[in-house]
């Protein structure tokens, strides 16, 4: 919520956590549902308030009006109304009674927290959407600004308007809003509490002589590391020779003395001490520039994060939004990056210097702390991040205006791309090859690869919710670096692919082709990296794919599994084929609740004894000839909607035509003709009972003969779904049995293709 406080200048008051602290695009919806764009003109560096500005001349239907601010009207016992967008209802009116006006700031488990002000409290029961609402008294004046509430309780917290009025007056005159800080946060404590930490009774009497109704004083709660004069526990006795017991008086002196020193008298451990405390520009301690790279956003540490973690302001760079680069380290928001590429990063300029020459796709070391749990865990973390300049260039943003100079204006500057190419490590060659294992492992290790895919979570189209996956691939053309894998390992082309070949070298690749119907994809290794591997004599070998009758698999066959476990180790095991069937009916792969690939029209190979902990690999005969690719299939579980992954075999006769097509025309993606239907398997015995005499005898004999040769029950293909706007719309219907296509008898889903 926001409300107009100056109808002539178009100023809207709201919370700081609504205006945000970076570039903002915002729209205000007025009483008559008119929408106008608004701009940020001021946001307080500490207190939870800020101002938007709109163009009053553009209001057509809504009458110009403003709410008068009355800080002095905030008193205990006042009946109030909180008017605003509570719970997203656009206009709600909540009632309450001011219970107290001297509450210390509410503590929230976040980086930002208000300080050096009182808050008022009432049982108004405000919830989400009420942030920025005016707290009105009977006269219609606003006495406070709604700022927060307590989950599960009716307690609401209101910000007094003293600094709001001070800032508004400056804005009306087109002046900057000076804000000073002694880099210390104070709390209000009762006299009896302060006596326990050294306050003397005569100090209390001196205060009561000036403020007869006084109940306590201000004490330093925390200080920034840069504050070398004040200490936590110091009780504020006098400020510039004046008794100071409230935040309004304190902030008036701080704001009026930016850049100079204040004479402060404190009680420290029972002893009076006169101090000269420097007053710093508070606006200068709030980051007003940031860097954007690979969807990551970083800026200087800033006042609030430094205070919360009790770290110097030049400790490092704050990761405000993790993107493609730092998410690879599991480096989340709230992390403090202290070193990149072996260079310290105390501030934004140092960070830019450290990374500006790192080539795209080059790994570099990073040192960081996790500030979100810094009070408990202060262990430094290390890792390697991968540079990515494809998502966005290295862009530096600066805030040029604001407050007295008009609306904020954020300007960006793109840094030039580095001229150097990523360094490709020298491969270890045969030295890294597995020397143990059985004959099959040694013969296929040069063809088996591991695949790692990653994309930014905001650009997930077919990948898992995390945007990352790992799997197995098969090198089918060593000269061109062509790799067969599944859609679990290479779910979409928008992302980053890394391939580890022969267990000895990791290189970049690209998703070249994704099968539109089946769980298959082809990856192409970066040609420059492939040349280095060949030069380094890395033993790359194209897999031998079964052809002819061996390209299909029968139930009951004894085969060999060769692949990887979940730790990345290569192993082999003897396996038996339990079934080769088309999942149909209750066994079909279920549809996702979001648009995402689902396997269909594919006879999968199911093993009777799938090796435990097998991530993926191939099914081969005793000579090492690949009979099937053993890939990972993803689908959505029925109970809780969680993602389920399980490995099944894909016979060689499904993907071998694609391999041949890519070998003939390696730069052209193969065509995949389709009838745009889904089919299900139905037993011929059941079908003949329901359609007695209507099925051609020749077709029945052909299907029985074909299925018998495969060692399975005779089944027919029945249409289960017809894709709207597809090739078969208005031609085929659900329930149709496919007897033949182009004059060829249909006994399996593969026959259709």
């Amino acid at each position: 919520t926001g409300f107009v406080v100056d109808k002539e200048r178009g100023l809207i008051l709201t919370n700081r956590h609504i205006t945000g602290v970076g570039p903002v695009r915002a729209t205000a919806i007025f009483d008559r549902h008119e929408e106008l764009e608004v701009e940020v003109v001021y946001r307080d560096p500490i207190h939870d308030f800020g101002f938007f500005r709109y163009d009053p001349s553009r209001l057509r239907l809504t009458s110009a009006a403003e709410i008068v601010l009355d800080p002095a009207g905030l008193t205990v016992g006042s009946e109030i109304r909180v008017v605003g967008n509570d719970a997203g209802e656009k206009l709600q009116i909540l009632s309450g009674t001011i219970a107290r006006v001297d509450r210390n700031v509410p503590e929230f488990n976040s980086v930002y927290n208000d300080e050096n002000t009182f808050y008022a409290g009432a049982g108004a029961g405000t919830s989400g959407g009420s942030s920025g609402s005016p707290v009105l008294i009977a006269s219609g004046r606003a006495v406070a600004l709604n700022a927060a509430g307590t989950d599960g309780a009716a307690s609401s917290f209101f910000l007094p308007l003293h600094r709001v009025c001070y800032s508004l007056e400056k804005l009306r005159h087109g002046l900057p809003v000076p804000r000073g800080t002694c880099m210390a946060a104070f709390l209000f404590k009762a006299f009896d509490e302060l006596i326990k930490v050294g306050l003397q009774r005569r100090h209390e009497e001196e205060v009561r002589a000036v403020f007869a109704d006084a109940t306590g004083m201000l004490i330093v709660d925390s200080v920034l590391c840069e504050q070398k004069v004040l200490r936590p526990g110091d009780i504020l006795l006098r400020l510039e020779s004046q008794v100071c017991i409230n935040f309004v008086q304190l902030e008036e002196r701080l704001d009026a003395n930016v850049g100079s020193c204040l004479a402060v008298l404190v009680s420290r451990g029972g002893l009076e001490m006169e101090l000269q405390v420097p007053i710093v520009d508070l606006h200068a301690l709030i980051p007003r520039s940031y860097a954007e790279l690979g969807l990551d956003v970083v800026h200087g540490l800033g006042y609030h994060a430094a205070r919360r973690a009790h770290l110097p302001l030049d400790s490092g760079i704050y990761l405000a939004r993790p993107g493609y680069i730092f998410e690879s380290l599991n480096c989340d928001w709230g992390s403090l990056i202290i070193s990149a590429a072996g260079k310290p990063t105390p501030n934004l300029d140092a960070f830019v210097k450290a990374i500006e020459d790192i080539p795209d796709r080059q790994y570099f070391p990073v040192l960081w702390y996790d500030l979100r749990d810094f009070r408990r865990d202060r262990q430094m973390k290390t890792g390697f991040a991968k540079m990515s300049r494809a998502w966005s260039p290295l862009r530096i943003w600066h805030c040029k205006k604001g407050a007295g100079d008009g609306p904020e204006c954020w300007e960006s500057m793109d840094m030039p791309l580095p001229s150097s190419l990523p360094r490709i490590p020298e491969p270890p060659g045969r030295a890294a090859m597995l020397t143990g294992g059985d004959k099959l492992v040694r013969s296929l290790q040069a063809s088996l690869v591991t695949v790692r895919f990653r994309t930014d979570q905001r650009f997930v189209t077919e990948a898992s919710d995390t945007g990352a996956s790992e799997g197995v691939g098969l090198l089918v053309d060593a000269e061109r670096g062509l790799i067969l894998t599944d859609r679990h390992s290479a779910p979409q082309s928008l992302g980053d692919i890394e391939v580890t070949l022969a267990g000895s070298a990791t290189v970049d690749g690209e998703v070249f082709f994704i099968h539109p119907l089946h769980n298959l994809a082809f990856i192409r290794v970066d040609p420059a990296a492939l040349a280095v591997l060949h030069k380094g004599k890395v033993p790359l070998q194209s897999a031998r794919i079964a052809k002819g009758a061996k390209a299909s698999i029968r139930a009951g066959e004894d085969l060999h599994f060769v692949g990887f476990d979940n730790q990345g180790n290569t192993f082999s095991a003897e396996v038996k084929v339990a079934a080769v069937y088309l999942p149909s009916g209750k066994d079909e792969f279920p549809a996702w609740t979001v648009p995402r690939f689902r396997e269909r029209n594919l006879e999968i190979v199911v093993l009777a004894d799938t090796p435990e902990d097998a991530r993926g690999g191939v099914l081969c005969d005793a000579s090492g000839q690949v009979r099937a690719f053993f890939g990972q299939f993803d689908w959505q579980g029925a109970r809780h909607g969680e993602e389920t992954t399980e490995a099944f075999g894909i016979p060689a006769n499904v993907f071998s035509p694609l391999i041949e097509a890519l070998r003939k025309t390696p730069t052209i993606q193969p065509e995949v003709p389709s009838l745009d239907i889904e089919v299900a398997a139905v037993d011929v015995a059941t079908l003949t009972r329901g359609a007695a005499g209507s099925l051609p005898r020749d077709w029945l004999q052909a299907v029985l003969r074909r299925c018998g040769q495969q060692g399975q029950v005779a089944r027919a293909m029945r249409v289960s779904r017809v894709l709207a706007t597809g090739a078969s719309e208005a031609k085929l219907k659900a329930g149709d049995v496919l007897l033949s296509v182009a004059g060829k008898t249909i006994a399996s889903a593969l026959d259709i293709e």
Side-chain angles (χ1 to χ4, degrees):
T1 305
F3 59 99
V4 177
V5 292
D6 192 321
K7 63 183 180 181
E8 301 297 330
R9 296 172 178 82
L11 295 178
I12 296 173
L13 174 63
T14 187
N15 287 134
R16 179 185 189 267
H17 70 261
I18 302 300
T19 63
V21 291
V24 169
R25 293 189 184 275
T27 302
I29 304 174
F30 288 81
D31 176 50
R32 302 293 297 276
H33 303 284
E34 290 183 86
E35 296 187 14
L36 293 183
E37 290 186 356
V38 294
E39 302 169 302
V40 175
V41 291
Y42 179 75
R43 38 194 150 201
D44 196 79
I46 291 294
H47 299 322
D48 198 5
F49 74 90
F51 292 93
F52 284 116
R53 189 176 74 177
Y54 67 96
D55 184 355
S57 65
R58 297 185 62 189
L59 282 178
R60 299 178 297 105
L61 305 175
T62 304
S63 301
E66 66 183 31
I67 294 178
V68 178
L69 304 183
D70 182 14
L74 184 63
T75 57
V76 174
S78 298
E79 291 293 322
I80 53 98
R81 299 292 185 270
V82 182
V83 182
N85 181 33
D86 188 75
E89 290 294 331
K90 192 176 190 303
L91 184 61
Q92 286 278 32
I93 302 176
L94 305 175
S95 61
T97 304
I98 298 296
R100 57 184 303 189
V101 295
D102 60 351
R103 189 196 193 284
N104 283 312
V105 294
E107 284 284 342
F108 298 105
N109 187 27
S110 64
V111 174
Y112 167 75
N113 211 84
D114 208 338
E115 65 179 44
N116 292 345
T117 181
F118 287 122
Y119 265 67
T126 57
S127 62
S130 283
S131 294
S133 295
V135 180
L136 306 176
I137 55 176
S139 65
R141 293 171 175 252
V143 297
L145 179 68
N146 183 64
T150 302
D151 288 337
S155 300
S156 300
F157 306 124
F158 309 139
L159 175 70
L161 299 178
H162 300 89
R163 286 297 94 186
V164 174
C165 291
Y166 161 78
S167 303
L168 178 59
E169 197 61 28
K170 296 288 186 182
L171 294 176
R172 282 172 169 165
H173 290 85
L175 299 174
V177 183
R179 296 288 278 116
T181 178
C182 58
M183 293 187 287
F186 291 82
L187 291 179
F188 180 81
K189 295 290 185 180
F191 287 124
D192 287 350
E193 287 189 64
L194 296 176
I195 293 294
K196 300 174 184 177
V197 292
L199 184 71
Q200 299 178 21
R201 287 296 180 187
R202 65 180 180 85
H203 295 145
E204 179 183 347
E205 293 170 0
E206 290 173 358
V207 170
R208 290 185 183 277
V210 180
F211 301 100
D213 296 333
T215 59
M217 300 173 68
L218 301 181
I219 183 173
V220 177
D221 177 57
S222 63
V223 298
L224 263 67
C225 294
E226 286 78 4
Q227 171 55 263
K228 305 299 183 183
V229 181
L230 293 172
R231 295 181 184 177
D234 286 351
I235 302 171
L236 181 60
L237 301 178
R238 292 181 181 272
L239 188 64
E240 295 283 278
S241 302
Q242 301 292 320
V243 174
C244 179
I245 64 167
N246 63 67
F247 292 110
V248 175
Q249 185 182 358
L250 171 66
E251 289 204 299
E252 284 177 352
R253 303 309 304 155
L254 294 178
D255 293 346
N257 290 275
V258 176
S260 59
C261 290
L262 281 179
V264 178
L265 179 66
V266 300
S267 171
R268 180 179 296 170
L271 300 177
E272 292 186 4
M273 301 185 67
E274 292 188 5
L275 307 172
Q276 289 293 319
V277 180
I279 307 304
V280 180
D281 181 9
L282 192 50
H283 292 294
L285 304 183
I286 306 299
R288 305 305 286 159
S289 60
Y290 68 91
E292 188 177 19
L293 175 64
L295 304 176
D296 297 86
V297 173
V298 297
H299 55 67
L301 182 57
Y303 179 90
H304 295 282
R307 172 179 171 256
R308 179 175 175 81
H310 196 66
L311 289 171
L313 288 163
D314 60 354
S315 296
I317 293 299
Y318 185 85
L319 181 61
R321 187 182 73 185
Y324 196 76
I325 296 175
F326 290 106
E327 267 190 348
S328 64
L329 296 165
N330 291 323
C331 193
D332 211 338
W333 71 268
S335 294
L336 182 70
I337 301 167
I338 63 172
S339 174
K343 301 175 183 178
T345 56
N347 51 52
L348 188 62
D349 291 338
F351 175 80
V352 172
K353 285 287 185 184
I355 67 168
E356 62 182 350
D357 293 328
I358 301 176
D360 189 29
R361 297 190 173 190
Q362 181 72 56
Y363 279 92
F364 60 96
V366 178
L367 306 180
W368 81 95
Y369 293 99
D370 187 351
L371 295 188
R372 295 173 303 165
D373 198 23
F374 198 59
R375 295 179 179 180
R376 184 184 63 85
D377 180 12
R378 294 199 169 215
Q379 180 180 358
M380 184 178 68
K381 298 172 175 58
T382 64
F384 289 89
K386 187 177 184 180
M387 177 58 69
S388 178
R389 299 180 182 273
W391 296 97
S392 65
L394 177 55
R395 180 172 294 159
I396 314 300
W397 291 83
H398 296 282
C399 183
K400 293 296 185 182
K401 296 181 180 179
D405 297 324
E408 288 186 348
C409 177
W410 288 82
E411 297 179 354
S412 65
M413 177 182 65
D414 288 355
M415 304 297 289
L417 292 173
S419 56
S420 57
L421 296 175
R423 180 179 58 86
I424 301 175
E426 189 69 25
R430 293 184 177 274
M433 289 292 291
L434 185 68
T435 56
D438 58 24
K439 176 183 175 182
L440 285 175
V441 170
R442 291 194 298 271
S443 66
L444 281 168
Q445 189 194 12
S447 303
L448 287 171
V449 305
T450 55
V451 178
R452 287 185 296 276
F453 171 85
R454 192 167 62 89
T455 191
D456 188 88
Q457 288 179 302
R458 284 157 285 189
F459 294 94
V460 167
T461 58
E462 293 283 353
S464 65
D465 293 339
T466 63
S469 59
E470 295 186 6
V472 174
L474 182 67
L475 185 62
V476 295
D477 192 327
E479 291 300 318
R480 297 184 177 91
L482 193 64
I483 295 167
L484 170 70
T485 187
D486 50 52
R487 291 186 58 157
H488 168 87
S489 308
Q492 60 185 61
S493 58
L494 183 59
D496 185 66
I497 284 278
E498 289 184 342
V499 178
T500 301
L501 296 140
S504 60
T506 299
V507 296
D508 291 310
E510 64 171 345
V511 180
F512 176 68
F513 174 72
I514 297 178
H515 200 291
L517 301 178
H518 298 321
N519 185 29
L520 295 170
F522 285 90
I523 300 170
R524 198 162 51 188
V525 174
D526 178 36
L530 190 64
V532 172
L533 296 181
H534 286 308
K535 183 179 179 181
K537 297 182 179 180
V538 173
L540 304 180
Q541 180 179 318
S542 301
R544 293 184 296 116
I545 309 298
K547 298 180 180 179
K550 284 193 172 184
S552 60
I553 294 178
R554 294 182 52 174
E557 280 194 80
D558 292 320
L559 297 175
H560 297 269
F561 169 84
V562 181
F564 296 93
D565 61 18
N566 287 322
Q567 285 70 46
N569 302 312
T570 315
F571 73 100
S572 69
E574 294 183 1
V575 294
K576 181 179 287 291
V577 177
V580 180
Y581 78 105
L582 174 66
S584 304
K586 65 179 182 179
D587 293 329
E588 72 175 1
F589 292 100
W592 296 85
T593 54
V594 297
R596 189 171 165 186
F597 167 73
R598 176 177 65 90
E599 182 58 77
R600 53 201 179 273
N601 300 352
L602 175 68
E603 282 92 5
I604 60 174
V605 179
V606 181
L607 301 180
D609 45 1
T610 302
E612 189 175 351
D613 204 32
R615 180 193 297 177
V618 297
L619 301 178
C620 63
D621 57 21
S623 68
Q625 194 173 47
V626 175
R627 303 279 304 280
F629 180 74
F630 202 68
Q632 299 181 80
F633 289 70
D634 299 327
W635 68 88
Q636 185 169 317
R639 290 189 176 181
H640 305 290
E642 76 283 357
E643 184 171 320
T644 301
T645 301
E646 191 171 345
F648 299 106
I650 304 174
N653 54 9
V654 175
F655 55 80
S656 55
L658 299 173
I659 296 174
E660 292 302 320
L662 288 171
R663 283 174 176 168
K664 291 178 181 178
T665 54
T667 60
I668 301 176
Q669 294 189 358
E671 292 184 355
V672 180
S674 173
L675 293 178
D676 295 330
I677 60 174
E678 289 186 35
V679 296
V682 56
D683 289 348
V684 170
T686 303
L687 189 63
T688 53
R689 291 187 64 185
S694 61
L695 296 174
R697 184 174 181 83
D698 293 344
W699 175 82
L700 282 172
Q701 293 297 324
V703 170
L704 290 170
R705 185 167 52 253
R706 287 272 304 280
C707 292
Q709 292 171 352
Q710 293 294 322
Q712 62 186 25
V713 176
R715 291 188 174 92
M717 297 295 107
R718 182 169 59 187
V719 177
S720 58
R721 295 181 183 89
V722 179
L723 179 66
T725 73
S728 299
E729 186 184 25
K731 298 179 178 66
L732 293 176
K733 297 180 180 180
D736 286 351
V737 177
L738 295 182
L739 304 180
S740 65
V741 173
K744 296 184 179 180
T745 301
I746 299 300
S748 67
L750 183 62
D751 289 342
I752 302 173
E753 298 183 9

